[in-house]
Amino acid sequence: MILVHLAVITLTSLSQFSYAAASKCYSQPVALPLKDVQVLPKVKGSYMRGIPVKVGTPPQDLVVMPWAELNNTWLYDYEAYCDNSIIWNDVICAVRRGEYFYENASSTYQQSSDIRTAGGATVETGAKGAELGIPELLSTSLGGTDTVALADDQLLRLDRFPLGIPRLNWDHGYTIMHALGLGANSTLLNQLVAMGRIRSRTWSIFWGRMWNSRPLDGSVVLGGYDRDKTIGANYTQRLDYSDTTGCWTGMKVTVLDIQIITRNGKSSSLFPPNYSLPVCIVPQRQLLIEAPWSVATQFEQLTQTSHVTDTGINGASTELHWGALTYSSSPESKFFGGDLSISLSSGLSVRVPNDQFMVPKAYVDRNGTRLFDRNYREFLLSPLADDGNPATLGRYFLTAAYLMVDHDAGTFTLWRANPTSSSSLVPVVAEKRAADGCGGDMPGVVQPSATVNSNSESSEGDNGRLSSGVIAGIAIGATVGGLAILGLAGLFLVRKRRQGRAAEGTTGMTINHNNNDNNSRYAGSSMAYAPSGWSAVPTQQQATAPQELHGKTIWVQDKGFKRPAENVPYELDSNSYGPGTSH
């Protein structure tokens, strides 16, 4: 047998290699579109952005949102628990939820006593910061199984798929849309792996671009990532769900700086000197960022603008971008027209274009049509009270950054996002499945598993040894002398001590999915999540030491409401905002 040396590469250099021919082991990732979907067939403008799915028999068209922390998939039926103080009728509620699921109308729906007996995950997060009602979903919701088809792909037709139907107001109604669970014990990812449809419990997301004259669909990739939508180096960290991080999605990062960039190119920081902000990446959250009031105050001082207080709740939106600060766009006033730059301690820096964070005031009208008000713009920042609430980066961060989560490896990876409609899907293969008989017939990237140290919890200030599992990007698959790979020589991990001291340390990855801490508080507002004890901390070292991996630098982080006077439907012309010509 001809032995071929392993090709060790980083995730961003996969294009140098040829994949093996298709075989029984060949499993391509699956790309699900993230796009504007007409929710109600009879209401032309009833758009919501999410993933279209078909559930039941005959199939019912729903729109779902990827949730990073949920393990199960939760669908709303006719008891959808929208907040009736801001969502005034069932039509608005149906649109914002992505249409109701009528389980009684499906001949293939089989009811169980709850989601657990239906075959779903038995644990959901109870971590601080997540919506308070999540742990109660398991005991209070209806449960059953039904047929689920993703992206009209018959290969992704899931029979007897476990579904939960909430029977409490667990998310306050502003989160909107059904929840597609992609957490560490995701029933969806588990079932796709068991079917052999994907080779790892990995998912990736690019939100796309909205609210401009040339909108761009996003995507969620299951079993890999989309190489064409990434730019430059990748930055990989361990997922850490421990209480000490205060990040319930496991994706804690540190923002070193946020800068405004004016149209003439001048940059100014929204942070004071030697300041950094720990944040949790929460892909389903409806804004760009939730951050302390001081950031919003500095923004207004530098841009010489002031948010209005005569709309929403003292100027905070109660519409689709709940909590965003509202600014007048009338001729006599002004709003900021430049971009934002967000820099992380890992080394990643992204630039968010103005039309992705200073957006039109969007809402769903009484007849179900998505409208916008020309009189206002919304700055997609929600100020946090000084009570220890966690800062977050939400879905609009993923208009400028590309995220991959690999539950098998216990890592997450960020790139700069390339806003393109082109696609090149790259499989990610779990290390434990790399030698399951497929050998050289198995293409893709093999992610080594991050080391789990149950005796060590990560916290800010720790200076532990870098786990070799943090370094991602060992790939199997290369063409040598025109011959396909006939055998797998072996797998190895690159081990290297961290160079220098890190601003943040994680001595081990502690997965804490069984945390049923009921001390979380919910104040009935998107601006009042449970306190996590986070505070902005000064940093002398603004980035961790790089780890060299075969010539490629991988940075590792160890440590009573008014309605608008003028309502305009979302029918695009060259100067308006909306779904675009695709509709």
Side-chain angles (χ1 to χ4, degrees):
M1 176 180 291
I2 301 175
L3 296 180
V4 181
H5 293 293
L6 288 176
V8 181
I9 60 174
T10 63
L11 291 170
T12 52
S13 58
L14 289 168
S15 58
Q16 303 173 36
F17 296 88
S18 300
Y19 292 139
S23 74
K24 63 182 179 64
C25 295
Y26 184 75
S27 299
Q28 274 286 77
V30 177
L32 308 178
L34 257 176
K35 63 181 184 178
D36 279 327
V37 181
Q38 182 175 321
V39 177
L40 303 179
K42 295 183 180 180
V43 181
K44 182 180 179 181
S46 57
Y47 295 116
M48 289 296 290
R49 192 173 186 87
I51 301 170
V53 300
K54 295 181 182 295
V55 182
T57 306
Q60 301 176 35
D61 291 308
L62 307 178
V63 187
V64 301
M65 181 69 67
W67 277 65
E69 67 266 41
L70 291 175
N71 292 321
N72 292 298
T73 292
W74 303 93
L75 303 181
Y76 296 96
D77 65 359
Y78 36 84
E79 294 187 39
Y81 300 96
C82 290
D83 185 341
N84 59 16
S85 67
I86 59 173
I87 299 175
W88 297 349
N89 63 32
D90 285 341
V91 175
I92 300 174
C93 184
V95 173
R96 292 184 62 154
R97 288 302 194 195
E99 181 57 299
Y100 302 147
F101 171 54
Y102 296 98
E103 66 272 24
N104 294 336
S106 173
S107 63
T108 47
Y109 180 76
Q110 298 292 322
Q111 185 170 340
S112 300
S113 57
D114 57 33
I115 184 67
R116 290 170 289 202
T117 57
T122 60
V123 174
E124 293 284 17
T125 183
K128 298 177 181 179
E131 276 70 15
L132 180 63
I134 288 179
E136 297 180 47
L137 285 172
L138 293 168
S139 59
T140 63
S141 300
L142 302 181
T145 63
D146 210 338
T147 298
V148 176
L150 300 172
D152 294 324
D153 185 347
Q154 290 304 309
L155 291 177
L156 281 183
R157 178 187 172 93
L158 307 174
D159 296 320
R160 298 182 181 179
F161 185 72
L163 301 169
I165 302 175
R167 281 295 178 261
L168 81 162
N169 183 7
W170 65 279
D171 72 341
H172 196 59
Y174 57 76
T175 305
I176 64 181
M177 282 189 286
H178 311 280
L180 185 69
L182 295 173
N185 192 27
S186 166
T187 54
L188 174 63
L189 296 176
N190 289 344
Q191 187 159 334
L192 291 176
V193 168
M195 292 167 58
R197 186 62 183 86
I198 59 176
R199 300 288 295 170
S200 68
R201 298 181 304 120
T202 300
W203 65 281
S204 307
I205 181 172
F206 169 60
W207 183 253
R209 298 285 172 88
M210 301 180 69
W211 317 122
N212 54 39
S213 59
R214 300 181 65 183
L216 177 67
D217 289 348
S219 70
V220 171
V221 177
L222 306 178
Y225 76 103
D226 191 336
R227 177 173 49 208
D228 284 2
K229 292 181 175 59
T230 67
I231 299 176
N234 64 80
Y235 302 88
T236 295
Q237 299 173 222
R238 282 171 289 186
L239 291 164
D240 192 339
Y241 302 89
S242 60
D243 288 341
T244 52
T245 68
C247 181
W248 59 99
T249 66
M251 294 180 282
K252 180 187 176 184
V253 297
T254 297
V255 178
L256 292 183
D257 199 11
I258 301 177
Q259 293 193 349
I260 60 171
I261 305 172
T262 63
R263 290 178 176 178
N264 63 11
K266 181 181 178 181
S267 299
S268 301
S269 178
L270 301 183
F271 283 8
N274 298 320
Y275 178 91
S276 64
L277 180 66
V279 301
C280 189
I281 298 176
V282 189
Q284 76 274 3
R285 286 279 166 92
Q286 70 275 14
L287 304 177
L288 169 64
I289 189 170
E290 295 169 292
W293 258 111
S294 59
V295 177
T297 300
Q298 181 69 358
F299 173 82
E300 294 192 344
Q301 289 178 349
L302 290 175
T303 59
Q304 298 181 1
T305 59
S306 297
H307 66 279
V308 300
T309 58
D310 62 348
T311 184
I313 302 176
N314 295 323
S317 177
T318 58
E319 304 297 350
L320 294 180
H321 297 119
W322 176 281
L325 292 178
T326 305
Y327 292 80
S328 173
S329 58
S330 61
E332 61 271 15
S333 63
K334 60 181 179 179
F335 57 89
F336 179 61
D339 296 343
L340 284 181
S341 173
I342 301 176
S343 299
L344 306 183
S345 63
S346 63
L348 178 69
S349 181
V350 299
R351 181 165 173 163
V352 185
N354 182 270
D355 55 22
Q356 300 305 299
F357 69 86
M358 190 65 69
V359 303
K361 182 177 181 178
Y363 68 98
V364 178
D365 199 17
R366 290 178 181 273
N367 67 358
T369 302
R370 189 174 67 181
L371 305 176
F372 76 98
D373 180 7
R374 294 182 184 273
N375 293 318
Y376 299 100
R377 292 292 184 93
E378 293 178 336
F379 177 30
L380 300 185
L381 178 147
S382 180
L384 296 171
D386 188 17
D387 57 4
N389 288 340
T392 67
L393 287 168
R395 63 184 67 163
Y396 285 89
F397 175 65
L398 300 174
T399 66
Y402 190 91
L403 169 68
M404 183 182 80
V405 181
D406 186 340
H407 291 302
D408 286 321
T411 60
F412 70 99
T413 300
L414 289 167
W415 293 261
R416 286 172 53 209
N418 181 28
T420 178
S421 58
S422 67
S423 179
S424 179
L425 301 183
V426 177
V428 173
V429 183
E431 182 182 25
K432 62 185 178 182
R433 298 183 188 96
D436 60 357
C438 292
D441 286 337
M442 182 187 60
V445 174
V446 176
Q447 287 268 56
S449 299
T451 301
V452 178
N453 183 354
S454 60
N455 296 318
S456 174
E457 293 186 353
S458 61
S459 62
E460 293 187 55
D462 289 344
N463 292 284
R465 178 180 299 182
L466 173 67
S467 165
S468 61
V470 176
I471 301 175
I474 299 179
I476 303 173
T479 302
V480 179
L483 297 176
I485 297 176
L486 300 178
L488 184 65
L491 293 172
F492 67 94
L493 303 178
V494 177
R495 299 186 180 273
K496 191 169 186 178
R497 280 188 176 272
R498 184 175 53 174
Q499 302 170 357
R501 295 174 62 87
E504 296 174 310
T506 51
T507 59
M509 184 184 70
T510 304
I511 298 179
N512 189 21
H513 300 299
N514 293 314
N515 175 13
N516 290 315
D517 183 357
N518 292 319
N519 294 323
S520 300
R521 296 164 187 71
Y522 187 80
S525 166
S526 68
M527 295 177 285
Y529 300 111
S532 69
W534 281 6
S535 59
V537 294
T539 177
Q540 299 300 321
Q541 293 173 293
Q542 294 194 339
T544 58
Q547 301 296 320
E548 290 295 328
L549 177 60
H550 294 266
K552 187 68 177 182
T553 298
I554 302 292
W555 289 85
V556 182
Q557 237 181 264
D558 277 0
K559 286 233 184 232
F561 306 101
K562 294 183 179 180
R563 277 291 166 190
E566 182 182 359
N567 299 329
V568 183
Y570 263 110
E571 296 297 332
L572 257 195
D573 56 43
S574 59
N575 297 313
S576 62
Y577 302 85
T581 55
S582 60
H583 294 148

